């Protein structure tokens, strides 16, 4: 059995430390890509109201 190594999550086998590092990198990249492509912009999906439609709807 391999000797446990200290990690962010406590003492774990080296294979688990590597797996945790890969998952952490994957999650960080996923968050970065989502932020880059506007997944967290709340105003992105709102419809744009043009001046001509705004005037006619007020009558």
């Amino acid at each position: 059995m391999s000797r446990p190594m200290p990690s962010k999550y406590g003492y774990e086998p080296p294979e688990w430390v590597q797996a945790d590092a890969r998952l952490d990198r994957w999650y960080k990249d996923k968050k970065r890509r989502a932020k880059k492509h506007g997944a967290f912009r709340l105003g992105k999906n709102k419809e744009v109201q043009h001046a001509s439609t705004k005037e006619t709807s007020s009558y």
Side-chain angles (χ1 to χ4, degrees):
M1 185 172 161
S2 39
R3 189 171 180 180
M5 299 173 57
S7 70
K8 287 195 315 190
Y9 308 107
Y11 284 90
E12 299 177 328
E15 298 85 16
W16 291 16
V17 173
Q18 289 175 354
D20 288 341
R22 277 195 304 269
L23 285 171
D24 288 342
R25 280 195 303 270
W26 173 81
Y27 184 67
K28 184 178 179 182
D29 185 54
K30 186 174 177 76
K31 278 178 54 175
R32 182 186 60 82
R33 286 176 182 263
K35 185 177 180 183
K36 182 178 178 182
H37 293 290
F40 297 113
R41 291 186 194 154
L42 297 176
K44 179 184 173 191
N45 293 328
K46 291 184 179 177
E47 292 183 24
V48 177
Q49 210 174 32
H50 297 286
S52 61
T53 59
K54 189 182 258 186
E55 291 172 5
T56 57
S57 63
S58 63
Y59 291 112

